[in-house]
Amino acid sequence: MWSPCSSQSLNRLSSHDQESNFFSTDLLFLRTKPQVSEQSLESQLMAQTTPNHTQTVSGWAVLDSSGKAVPHTFKRRENGVDDVTIEIMYCGICHTDLHFARNEWGITMYPVVPGHEITGIITKVGSNVNKFRLGDRVGVGCLAASCLECDFCKSSRENYCDQIQLTYNGIFWDGSITYGGYSKFMVADHRYVVRIPENLPMDATAPLLCAGITVFSPFKDSNLVDSPGKKVGVVGLGGLGHLAVKFGKAFGHHVTVISTSPFKEKEARERLGADDFIVSTNARELQAARRTLDFIVDTVSAKHSLGPILELLTVNGTLAVVCAPDQPMELPAFPLIFGKRSVRGSMTGSTSETQEMLDVCSKHNITCDIELVKTDNINEAWDRLARNDVRYRFVIDIAGKSSNL
């Protein structure tokens, strides 16, 4: 059984807090790999557009595995009866964008236009669309389509549909390849669009559509949104982790940050309001916090053992895993069974759950801490992102207005 005093076990956590951008959405993309990779190159090229793609749009694409974003002009479909056209104002940068730009998973269909943390203004509305009007502030996250017929789709859990297609590098219903938010405008099916509350700024809200919903969903699943007074732990303090701290405090919980980086303690406490801080490589601190937490969300993408984290949970505590290391994590049996603890996974949320999260963020005035970048600096931002040099999320000023929309 793992002992909190075992330095060998402690070192398995991670030498870096690498959580900031690789998380459950990456799992979502990997789920689609068999469907995409079975296509021949010829069919991929044929699928890029259909005769309905008559709108010319400028954006920023990666044309090959060099992984560099360049200005690119391409076609989008006409606004259909179920669609809305969105003038894009801002688009967050997710680590998934970098994976696809560099074809690190071997499934990129070039040219790829990344971006699935999109906020903008509706400029056209289809005849079947009733919930949106011209001028509405809206957002689009990771999903572009699903089957609409399975039990998951019919119960507002379309993010778990086996036929989900993604905002970019997916295959839409008409057979075309989807292109994301690194562009001036997009056409989206209204069933996958959410409304941005008026009091939330469009730039700092964009990452909520991916990073935000990824950590909100396990809070909701564990009944932590409206039931204050629990002791919550957050592993990793990056793009996801800092939002998890904000959610935990807004929902009335005692929040402990668990990090390999002692220098992050001041920011965790003073800027984000965390109540406690544990250095995960410090055996004494881990021992002192043993069996004190009710719930932990793990956002660290580096390979690590879950044993030391599980020991921090009280009996019947829950560990929610929203990260996706590229190698299997270690799950020792003894910390699990001797504490009657649960480990559960969670991915990005459904459209309705994302709307619920935005409304909660509006109520509590929660946004992402961002660094706004110009379109000319996308490649520079990607390079910094690869070095984990961001606090806490890059957002591209697509419209170039640096507005406070």
Side-chain angles (χ1 to χ4, degrees):
M1 184 169 65
W2 173 84
S3 166
C5 298
S6 168
S7 60
Q8 182 178 4
S9 295
L10 294 173
N11 290 336
R12 290 175 183 168
L13 262 172
S14 172
S15 59
H16 303 283
D17 282 329
Q18 298 183 32
E19 71 78 21
S20 60
N21 295 284
F22 191 116
F23 47 95
S24 67
T25 300
D26 298 301
L27 283 177
L28 187 154
F29 279 99
L30 292 176
R31 275 182 62 189
T32 67
K33 180 176 180 178
Q35 183 177 358
V36 174
S37 61
E38 289 171 0
Q39 290 185 311
S40 67
L41 177 60
E42 181 181 2
S43 65
Q44 289 179 12
L45 293 174
M46 290 176 61
Q48 288 183 14
T49 61
T50 72
N52 190 39
H53 284 60
T54 60
Q55 299 194 91
T56 300
V57 55
S58 59
W60 294 265
V62 179
L63 306 182
D64 53 45
S65 58
S66 65
K68 297 298 182 182
V70 296
H72 182 63
T73 300
F74 60 100
K75 298 287 188 177
R76 289 201 186 275
R77 70 180 186 272
E78 286 294 323
N79 196 92
V81 295
D82 292 313
D83 293 330
V84 293
T85 297
I86 302 167
E87 180 187 359
I88 298 174
M89 298 293 162
Y90 301 100
C91 186
I93 295 179
C94 174
H95 207 291
T96 299
D97 303 345
L98 197 55
H99 286 305
F100 272 102
R102 298 176 178 179
N103 198 24
E104 292 175 346
W105 293 326
I107 59 174
T108 303
M109 296 178 286
Y110 293 111
V112 62
V113 179
H116 59 217
E117 298 178 344
I118 303 159
T119 58
I121 305 295
I122 289 183
T123 59
K124 189 177 295 185
V125 179
S127 59
N128 288 347
V129 180
N130 297 315
K131 65 177 182 179
F132 296 115
R133 297 181 179 180
L134 295 179
D136 282 352
R137 294 155 32 102
V138 295
V140 175
C142 303
L143 305 184
S146 61
C147 79
L148 301 177
E149 299 294 335
C150 69
D151 290 341
F152 299 109
C153 287
K154 291 181 178 179
S155 58
S156 296
R157 294 178 294 163
E158 69 277 2
N159 49 314
Y160 292 101
C161 173
D162 284 336
Q163 298 182 44
I164 53 172
Q165 294 300 329
L166 304 166
T167 303
Y168 69 88
N169 206 76
I171 305 296
F172 195 63
W173 289 316
D174 63 5
S176 63
I177 294 174
T178 56
Y179 296 122
Y182 289 26
S183 58
K184 290 294 187 179
F185 73 86
M186 71 181 303
V187 180
D189 187 289
H190 76 280
R191 287 164 287 199
Y192 307 92
V193 177
V194 292
R195 185 182 304 277
I196 306 298
E198 290 296 329
N199 66 315
L200 295 182
M202 298 270 275
D203 52 0
T205 295
L208 295 177
L209 299 169
C210 183
I213 185 58
T214 297
V215 291
F216 176 83
S217 186
F219 271 90
K220 180 185 175 184
D221 289 342
S222 295
N223 298 314
L224 295 171
V225 177
D226 297 311
S227 301
K230 298 295 184 181
K231 292 188 174 181
V232 171
V234 177
V235 185
L237 192 64
L240 276 72
H242 91 287
L243 287 173
V245 174
K246 290 186 177 187
F247 282 135
K249 293 303 298 179
F251 301 156
H253 304 298
H254 183 284
V255 178
T256 298
V257 172
I258 304 153
S259 172
T260 60
S261 305
F263 68 87
K264 291 186 177 181
E265 180 171 4
K266 181 177 181 180
E267 185 164 8
R269 290 182 181 273
E270 297 181 5
R271 181 175 179 179
L272 299 174
D275 300 285
D276 283 310
F277 190 93
I278 297 173
V279 179
S280 57
T281 54
N282 187 311
R284 179 183 56 80
E285 292 185 15
L286 285 171
Q287 175 64 33
R290 187 171 179 268
R291 290 195 170 197
T292 61
L293 302 179
D294 300 299
F295 170 85
I296 298 174
V297 57
D298 185 353
T299 69
V300 173
S301 67
K303 179 184 178 182
H304 59 286
S305 174
L306 299 182
I309 302 171
L310 286 169
E311 291 282 11
L312 298 175
L313 288 170
T314 188
V315 174
N316 279 325
T318 298
L319 170 61
V321 176
V322 299
C323 53
D326 57 5
Q327 299 180 51
M329 291 183 289
E330 298 175 13
L331 180 59
F334 287 114
L336 190 66
I337 62 179
F338 277 86
K340 200 179 181 181
R341 297 160 177 132
S342 300
V343 178
R344 66 186 304 171
S346 184
M347 63 183 292
T348 186
S350 66
T351 305
S352 62
E353 190 174 46
T354 302
Q355 185 65 67
E356 177 185 355
M357 175 212 61
L358 289 173
D359 293 340
V360 168
C361 288
S362 174
K363 175 182 177 181
H364 295 285
N365 196 30
I366 296 173
T367 57
C368 187
D369 290 3
I370 66 167
E371 182 175 339
L372 201 62
V373 298
K374 298 179 180 179
T375 55
D376 292 342
N377 302 121
I378 291 174
N379 291 305
E380 178 185 344
W382 280 357
D383 289 341
R384 287 181 53 193
L385 175 59
R387 302 193 301 269
N388 213 29
D389 177 24
V390 54
R391 289 292 179 270
Y392 286 99
R393 205 74 163 186
F394 286 120
V395 173
I396 307 169
D397 183 5
I398 297 292
K401 300 176 182 177
S402 298
S403 69
N404 292 316
L405 289 171

